[in-house]
Amino acid sequence: MLRYRLDPGDFAEVRFAVSPLTEVTLSLRALRDPGRFPLHLAWLRHLERVLPDLDEPMLRALCDDRFWTPDFLTPRPASPLGVFERELAAVATTPTATVARDLAAVHPLAPPESLQGDPLEVRDRALRAVDAYHRRAIEPFWPRWRALLEADVLHRARQITERGVAGMFETLAPTVRLRGSVVEVRLRSMPGDVELRSVGAGLTLVPTLFTKNASAPIAGDEPPMVFYPARGLGALYERTPPPPAAALARLIGATRASILAELELPMSPTELAVRRGITASAASQHLRALRDGGLLEARREHRSVRFRRSELGEALVGRSALGG
């Protein structure tokens, strides 16, 4: 059992973050045991095709049979919406002692051949392997993954608004519990109990697609952080949008009703166009019309604009699902 003892001020510093590097690192668990991730079958097929072109021995060495990965590859996110290249550049400055400690925690007896040698050289080889793995195996799927992770964060933020931090923790994960000022994380692979104090560092919660319960950094000096399972994984790779309810279709048209029903996860015009097999301009037209009608909200992220249902859009979809 891992326990984080929080100071009173930490409860005002509970924050969520989406970390591409963390997701890339935790996805290496699928190399160890693909059968544990049956809902990722579409991605696993893609991974099988590109794996021969990657540094497979290094990638496999970065995750052990307990599903532990080196903590320096899952640092505390610096911003709520991470950028992979920036996170990787930050990790490239990890000092020798930290790299050696984290690799020894994953492989306490004897490191695999890929991890032997000078720790900084091993670090740089590992980062090159992870970078190539990201480009070939993860990047084609990342827009969809990111949309689901961000949707989960929005859901948790609403829970805090409606039910408070304690109410949000009740649904976070089966193995995470808030008892007074202590966050308990039950880790299957950690023998005994470890208790850490936050010393005012707050608590960061990171949704992931690659844990069934919850996990946390192994090193005791890491700021409090919990990786928890994101909602909606079962629908992640669905290509067929749900049929709109008849009443909603009569109100705004069948096409836009189905788009509104599909936007449970935030999406850009390009992502919507790919999912529905239409042109990007047609997708943009539908999305703008729904936004102008108050059913969607738009948010700019780097070079793209992504749309999600507004409160009014959520209410319409919810009512149509109940009443047809």
Side-chain angles (χ1 to χ4, degrees), residues 186-324:
R186 203 162 61 245
L187 300 175
R188 176 177 56 86
S189 55
M190 176 179 284
D193 292 347
V194 175
E195 182 168 314
L196 305 173
R197 183 172 288 278
S198 73
V199 294
L203 173 68
T204 301
L205 301 173
V206 181
T208 175
L209 306 177
F210 290 94
T211 185
K212 291 186 176 180
N213 294 303
S215 55
I218 303 167
D221 59 352
E222 293 292 319
M225 182 166 58
V226 176
F227 309 127
Y228 69 89
R231 303 164 62 250
L233 179 56
L236 181 61
Y237 301 102
E238 288 182 358
R239 292 186 175 271
T240 304
L248 184 58
R250 287 194 298 270
L251 180 65
I252 61 176
T255 298
R256 288 175 182 169
S258 65
I259 289 174
L260 186 63
E262 190 170 1
L263 281 171
E264 182 178 356
L265 305 179
M267 230 177 278
S268 70
T270 301
E271 292 164 4
L272 180 65
V274 170
R275 281 179 67 91
R276 299 185 67 89
I278 60 177
T279 65
S281 60
S284 295
Q285 183 180 4
H286 289 305
L287 291 170
R288 283 197 301 268
L290 291 167
R291 180 200 60 192
D292 293 345
L295 304 180
L296 295 181
E297 297 173 349
R299 182 175 66 186
R300 176 166 290 280
E301 296 179 6
H302 307 295
R303 299 179 183 177
S304 65
V305 176
R306 309 186 73 231
F307 295 80
R308 66 180 180 89
R309 290 199 295 250
S310 65
E311 289 188 10
L312 177 58
E314 292 280 4
L316 279 178
V317 171
R319 287 181 65 87
S320 66
L322 290 174

Side-chain angles (χ1 to χ4, degrees), residues 14-20 23 77 79-82 142 144-162 164 168-169 171-172 203-209 226-232 264-266 299 301 306 308 314:
V14 173
R15 68 187 187 101
F16 292 85
V18 172
S19 169
E23 205 62 11
S79 64
L81 298 173
W142 180 243
R144 189 172 296 187
W145 290 10
R146 179 184 62 189
L148 188 146
L149 296 170
E150 290 181 13
D152 183 275
V153 168
L154 289 172
H155 172 77
R156 306 296 177 184
R158 288 176 187 151
Q159 281 189 315
I160 292 177
T161 300
E162 296 169 359
M168 180 274 295
F169 266 99
T171 63
L172 194 66
L203 173 68
T204 301
L205 301 173
V206 181
T208 175
L209 306 177
V226 176
F227 309 127
Y228 69 89
R231 303 164 62 250
E264 182 178 356
L265 305 179
R299 182 175 66 186
E301 296 179 6
R306 309 186 73 231
R308 66 180 180 89
E314 292 280 4

